Amino acid sequence: MGTPSAVHECNCRACWAGEQPAREDHRQLNLLLSRLNEQQRRWLAAREAMLLGHGGFQRLAEITGLHPETIRRGRDELQAELQGRPTDRIRLPGGGRPRAEKKIQLCSPT
């Protein structure tokens, strides 16, 4: 497995004010998120935001550094019971760059 990404530092008011329980909770959440892949981060942040209720998406965006729309997308995927999400890969098939072999075939003269 690759090197874990850096742990995001929370930018919420409670952490800036030095409120210890909130600061430690946010640090642990960001540590956990740093070890997850992109879809798992989205789902966990969405779950936490839904638990907070009104304003939860913006609050979690502040804490985690994820965009609120990313967290909302995670909510939508959770509400759809993760249907259509691959279990053996992170991204849906078909995205990204073409394979090198395919690219070479397209570029070679006939």
Side-chain angles (χ1 to χ4, degrees):
M1 195 157 131
T3 306
S5 60
V7 178
H8 176 77
E9 193 167 328
C10 179
N11 291 319
C12 77
R13 289 183 187 179
C15 288
W16 280 98
E19 294 176 19
Q20 195 56 36
R23 188 176 200 152
E24 182 60 20
D25 184 47
H26 298 171
R27 188 192 67 74
Q28 286 182 358
L29 176 62
N30 283 319
L31 177 64
L32 176 60
L33 290 173
S34 74
R35 302 300 198 271
L36 302 176
N37 66 42
E38 62 188 67
Q39 67 182 5
Q40 293 167 338
R41 280 193 298 272
R42 193 168 57 237
W43 299 334
L44 180 60
R47 178 72 181 130
E48 292 290 322
M50 290 187 295
L51 290 173
L52 290 175
H54 181 73
F57 294 100
Q58 191 60 44
R59 179 110 168 98
L60 255 289
E62 234 176 37
I63 294 168
T64 64
L66 296 173
H67 194 277
E69 284 304 314
T70 300
I71 300 170
R72 286 187 185 94
R73 180 178 169 199
R75 175 206 52 201
D76 295 344
E77 291 171 350
L78 285 174
Q79 288 176 340
E81 301 287 325
L82 304 180
Q83 288 187 344
R85 298 304 310 165
T87 57
D88 58 338
R89 57 191 304 154
I90 296 172
R91 296 190 176 165
L92 294 174
R97 300 176 77 171
R99 293 191 334 244
E101 306 105 41
K102 190 172 185 179
K103 193 174 183 180
I104 292 170
Q105 287 175 350
L106 291 175
C107 296
S108 62
T110 54

